[in-house]
Structure formats: structure tokens, C-alpha cells
Amino acid sequence: MDPLATFKYLQEAGCSLVTRPWIDNHWSLILWKLAGMTCLEPEKEWDEKERRWCWEEVYRQMLYRYEREINQGVRPPLRLIATQDAPSTSPMVLCVSEIKWLENRLLENGEMYHGCPELELTDGWYKIRAQVDAPLTRAIRKGTLAIGRKIAIVGARLDSERKDPQEILEAYNSIKLILTGNSTHLAPWHAKLGFQRELPVATMHSLTRDGGIIAAMDLLVVKVYPIAYFEFIHTEKGRINNGPLNEKEEMALRDEWQVGVLGSSRRREFEESKLREDFDKITRRYHGYADRLERKAGNQFRPGEDGPPDRIDDLYDQLEEPEEAAKVISAISPTDAGWLVRRIRKQLEKDQENLMDEIEKELADICPPRDVRNFRVIVVKDARTQRRPGNRVAQLTVWDVLNVSLSEGRSAGSFEPGEHCLVTHLQPTQVSAWMDCAPGAEIYMCTTRNTRWRKLRS
């Protein structure tokens, strides 16, 4: 029995929608699955009723997959990702089905140089390529990440050569997942492949300074530092950072700025009045153009179904200068005059709708708001230390801490030593200062705009 024979058997069984590429894809994955199950429980192969390593079981698995995917329309995770019907960032468990080394070349000393590795991952139904970063490459070279290992992934990015969704069997060479080390972890051998409900939680022992975003961590607060502030001053030469500032210094700068605001508010009112006056002046001028053009068009304007000719936009642009506007109006034909009236009226309505936005943009330079961010540094440690000791601690910079409230009725930005939190989307910082995993080692992280907090029971 081979894929071609299976293809014919399924067609004879009434599976009219089956295709040869579909058979070829599932054939290898089913054989790999059955081989693993046979090695796990070889004693069952002596029982004809429980035997798995046989053609009958391959055929039964094919029929099951056809019924579930084709007839019932239940699409596996990788197929949903390829068609962009599910986000690639979702937590999932996949299995490494192949490791390819790109850019292999023979060195002068006769040794083979292996370039960057590329993974082939499977959800048990389909396969997809995956690009790895430096930490994952090191894990592959060490043999920690090998063919047959299951990995828990979250936050993977889909890289596609095409913008449109694609069917997974047609997209193998044009799409791939981009993985990062800090959001990719080894999964147990018995983990179920596919999408997962829970985020895989990282511990500090597994983190690397160059491993990218950390999807989720289970942390205990050890120490809390006071809230501080950074003020960002925007100048013609660029942005200047003023800080860190303590609360007293920030209050003094805020009071000073508010005094300046009171003085500039009068200027703001004057400038706003001036801008409105300029707008009204231009509006009256264009209304005058429209009235003159309307009289010139008279009853001769008969708009057709084809819409205005392309030259109407050019004629409208010439109205910006009063001298040119007079020439345009005197030389224009009645038909073009009618179309130009419509163009003017439409633009006047649009300008009126956007008036306040345009005024606010102009006034932002007169009295710009302060650009200040608050933050707090807290020292945290792993809450999950069953498998590995929690040797490392982390200094976590919580940006915009005044927007963080761990429970209702509690003051914003407050943390207490001993609190237990699940935190998502953290970013390594000060990577040159990261220490190894020896007892007392320190690492550094910060929150991002996507960070979320959830207080857990201690």
C-alpha cells in the first residue's frame, strides 16, 4: 500500500473531494504518528485488535481525517493560520518534524559549516516552516531542540510573501512562522498538539537576554521602589530626556508648566480667533467663485453619467491665486463651470468638517502638552520553582504604572512585597548587565504597551 493506492481506496469509498496533495501530506504524518505510538506501546502490536502498525490503521486514520476536515469542516490550527482565520500569535503546541540547515558550505579545512537552521513544525495535520532566533539556534546546536520534540509557542509572527490568505498545501514555500526564544519552550511529550487555552509561562532560568518578548511570567513581588517620572522635551534637534524625577520634582515642574499655560491661554484664544478669521475669509472667496461659476453654467450644464473630466481638479487648483481664478472663470465653458461648482461645494463641506482638527494641529505648537511618563521599579522573583530553583531575581521597570491597578478600590500603581501576579508581554532591557543563573543573579526587564497584569492568590 502506498499514497497512490490510498488515494484510489478513498475515491472508491466515496471521498470525492480528496486530492493527491492532501493524501501525500497526511500519509507521512500518519505513518510518523503510528510509528511513535508503536514504540510507546510495542506490546499492543501482538494483539490484532489493538495493533496500530498496519495498513488497516493507516486507512482508518485517512478516513477519519477526511470526515473531520472535509465533511465536517473542522480545520486544523496551521490551516487556519495560513488562511489568516486565526492569529499566529495564539498559544499552541507544535512538533518539530524536520530541521534544515541553510547556507551549508565546506570550509578550507574540510569541515562542513552549518549556517542558520530552519525548523519544520507540524500540528499533526499539516506542516509549516519556522524561522528561529539566536537562542533557539543555540538550543538546536546543543541538541536540546531536536526532531520529535514538542514546543509550546506564543506570540509567533506569520511572515508571508503574499498579502492574501493561502491554503496551507499551496503555501509551504511562501509562508513561515517567526519564533523567539523567550516565548518558545519545550513541551511535555504527552502535550496535545494544536491551540492551547493557557499561555505558556516562562521562568527566569529559561530567559535569555537576546530572546525577545517574554509572553507570560508568574512572579512574586520582592521589593518596591518609589514612583518616578521622565519628561521628554521635543526640540528642533530632537528629543531631550529630563529625569528620572522624583514625585516632588515632578510636582514642581507641573506647577511651573501650569503657570505658563495660564499665560499662553490668552495667546491661544487670539491665535484660534485669527485662524477662524482666515478660514472664513477663504470660504467667502470660494463661495463667490461658486456663485459666479453657477451663473456662467446657467441652464446649459447637463451632467453626464461619466462624471467630471480629469481637468476639473487642475482648474480647482488654479483657483488658489485670485488672479489665476479670474482667468479661469472668464475662459471656462458652461459645462466645466457646472462641474467646478460641484467640486468647490464638496471641498467647502469637507473643510468645514475638518476645521477643528486643523485648528488644533496649529495650536499644538503654541501651547504643547507635556510629554511625561511615570514608572516604578519593582524587584520580582519566580513563583514557580518546582522544577528549577529560583536563583535569579529581576528588576522590572513598570512603565505608566499609574495606569496599573491590581484590584478594585486600590490606589493606582501600588505594589506590595509578597504579591503574586501573572504578567504578560515583558521586554528584556540592559542586556549587557544580565547575569547567569547563579544564586543571587539579576536580570532586567520592562513592561510594554501590551503588558497585562492579573493578581493571583498567594
Side-chain angles (χ1 to χ4, degrees):
M1 190 172 182
D2 57 15
L4 180 58
T6 304
F7 177 62
K8 293 179 179 179
Y9 285 153
L10 288 180
Q11 285 187 321
E12 293 172 359
C15 302
S16 58
L17 299 178
V18 71
T19 63
R20 183 61 190 274
W22 188 89
I23 289 287
D24 292 339
N25 170 75
H26 289 289
W27 174 265
S28 60
L29 291 173
I30 289 174
L31 288 183
W32 195 31
K33 171 187 174 181
L34 295 181
M37 296 173 70
T38 300
C39 292
L40 179 64
E41 298 176 315
E43 66 278 1
K44 290 187 176 182
E45 296 306 306
W46 298 101
D47 188 341
E48 292 186 0
K49 294 181 179 180
E50 295 186 347
R51 182 183 301 169
R52 291 159 176 166
W53 191 248
C54 58
W55 297 124
E56 291 79 7
E57 181 63 19
V58 174
Y59 182 56
R60 191 188 69 80
Q61 292 273 340
M62 280 286 187
L63 284 175
Y64 167 77
R65 293 187 178 216
Y66 183 89
E67 174 64 24
R68 181 171 176 80
E69 185 179 2
I70 307 301
N71 288 343
Q72 297 180 11
V74 180
R75 292 180 292 170
L78 290 184
R79 187 179 174 191
L80 287 170
I81 290 173
T83 56
Q84 300 180 21
D85 291 322
S88 61
T89 55
S90 302
M92 53 186 163
V93 173
L94 301 176
C95 184
V96 180
S97 55
E98 189 175 351
I99 299 176
K100 302 176 183 178
W101 290 92
L102 308 179
E103 302 176 1
N104 290 348
R105 66 175 184 270
L106 190 65
L107 300 178
E108 294 180 357
N109 59 6
E111 295 182 359
M112 179 63 71
Y113 168 77
H114 297 292
C116 299
E118 181 182 81
L119 297 181
E120 181 186 78
L121 304 176
T122 178
D123 59 358
W125 291 69
Y126 291 100
K127 302 173 185 176
I128 192 171
R129 297 179 302 137
Q131 176 182 314
V132 297
D133 62 358
L136 291 175
T137 299
R138 293 194 293 268
I140 294 171
R141 292 185 186 277
K142 291 178 182 178
T144 305
L145 189 56
I147 295 175
R149 293 302 301 261
K150 292 181 179 179
I151 54 176
I153 300 168
V154 65
R157 185 163 58 88
L158 180 66
D159 181 28
S160 176
E161 295 178 2
R162 304 175 186 174
K163 294 182 179 180
D164 298 331
Q166 304 176 67
E167 274 299 333
I168 185 71
L169 292 178
E170 302 170 358
Y172 183 83
N173 293 319
S174 59
I175 66 171
K176 61 184 175 182
L177 295 177
I178 299 180
L179 310 182
T180 57
N182 286 339
S183 294
T184 305
H185 312 284
L186 293 176
W189 67 269
H190 53 79
K192 186 177 181 180
L193 296 178
F195 291 131
Q196 307 294 309
R197 292 185 177 181
E198 298 293 331
L199 288 172
V201 175
T203 59
M204 294 185 195
H205 184 277
S206 67
L207 300 181
T208 58
R209 67 191 70 190
D210 55 349
I213 290 290
I214 305 155
M217 296 194 74
D218 189 356
L219 301 173
L220 290 173
V221 179
V222 177
K223 187 176 181 180
V224 181
Y225 289 95
I227 295 176
Y229 302 83
F230 260 110
E231 180 180 18
F232 304 102
I233 303 171
H234 301 273
T235 66
E236 295 180 356
K237 296 182 179 180
R239 192 177 73 172
I240 301 174
N241 299 340
N242 181 24
L245 307 169
N246 59 35
E247 190 168 3
K248 184 177 180 180
E249 293 169 332
E250 165 59 17
M251 289 295 292
L253 287 174
R254 187 187 307 171
D255 293 341
E256 181 181 342
W257 178 79
Q258 288 178 344
V259 171
V261 168
L262 292 175
S264 63
S265 61
R266 297 185 182 88
R267 183 186 173 194
R268 179 186 175 94
E269 293 174 1
F270 171 76
E271 293 292 340
E272 182 177 353
S273 176
K274 185 178 178 182
L275 290 171
R276 287 185 178 277
E277 184 178 337
D278 292 342
F279 176 80
D280 291 340
K281 184 178 179 180
I282 294 173
T283 300
R284 287 194 299 271
R285 181 158 62 90
Y286 275 85
H287 274 302
Y289 294 158
D291 292 340
R292 292 167 62 186
L293 289 166
E294 206 164 33
R295 289 194 295 270
K296 187 158 189 177
N299 297 327
Q300 301 181 46
F301 178 54
R302 298 287 187 274
E305 296 180 357
D306 296 336
D310 295 337
R311 61 179 175 273
I312 297 301
D313 286 334
D314 295 333
L315 292 173
Y316 178 82
D317 293 338
Q318 295 177 36
L319 297 178
E320 188 171 353
E321 296 295 333
E323 294 181 0
E324 290 294 325
K327 296 178 182 178
V328 169
I329 294 173
S330 63
I332 197 169
S333 66
T335 300
D336 285 353
W339 284 118
L340 189 53
V341 169
R342 290 191 173 190
R343 176 70 173 83
I344 292 173
R345 304 281 191 206
K346 183 178 179 180
Q347 188 64 42
L348 287 173
E349 291 178 4
K350 184 177 179 181
D351 291 344
Q352 185 65 45
E353 292 176 359
N354 299 331
L355 175 60
M356 286 308 301
D357 291 338
E358 294 298 325
I359 289 178
E360 287 299 325
K361 289 179 182 178
E362 294 286 342
L363 295 178
D365 294 332
I366 300 171
C367 185
R370 292 183 71 216
D371 186 2
V372 180
R373 290 192 74 182
N374 55 79
F375 69 95
R376 164 172 259 161
V377 176
I378 61 175
V379 179
V380 294
K381 66 179 182 180
D382 282 318
R384 303 186 184 188
T385 56
Q386 295 88 348
R387 293 186 58 193
R388 296 183 183 274
N391 291 337
R392 280 175 161 177
V393 295
Q395 287 194 22
L396 174 59
T397 302
V398 185
W399 286 104
D400 303 317
V401 68
L402 294 178
N403 295 333
V404 178
S405 182
L406 295 181
S407 59
E408 189 175 351
R410 183 173 173 177
S411 59
S414 62
F415 291 88
E416 296 293 337
E419 283 189 314
H420 187 189
C421 303
L422 181 69
V423 194
T424 65
H425 289 88
L426 300 178
Q427 176 74 46
T429 59
Q430 303 182 45
V431 293
S432 60
W434 274 46
M435 301 180 185
D436 56 17
C437 293
E442 284 191 340
I443 61 175
Y444 302 87
M445 303 179 293
C446 72
T447 60
T448 66
R449 296 190 184 278
N450 294 322
T451 297
R452 298 294 180 268
W453 295 80
R454 189 173 77 195
K455 187 177 180 180
L456 304 176
R457 292 183 179 179
S458 300

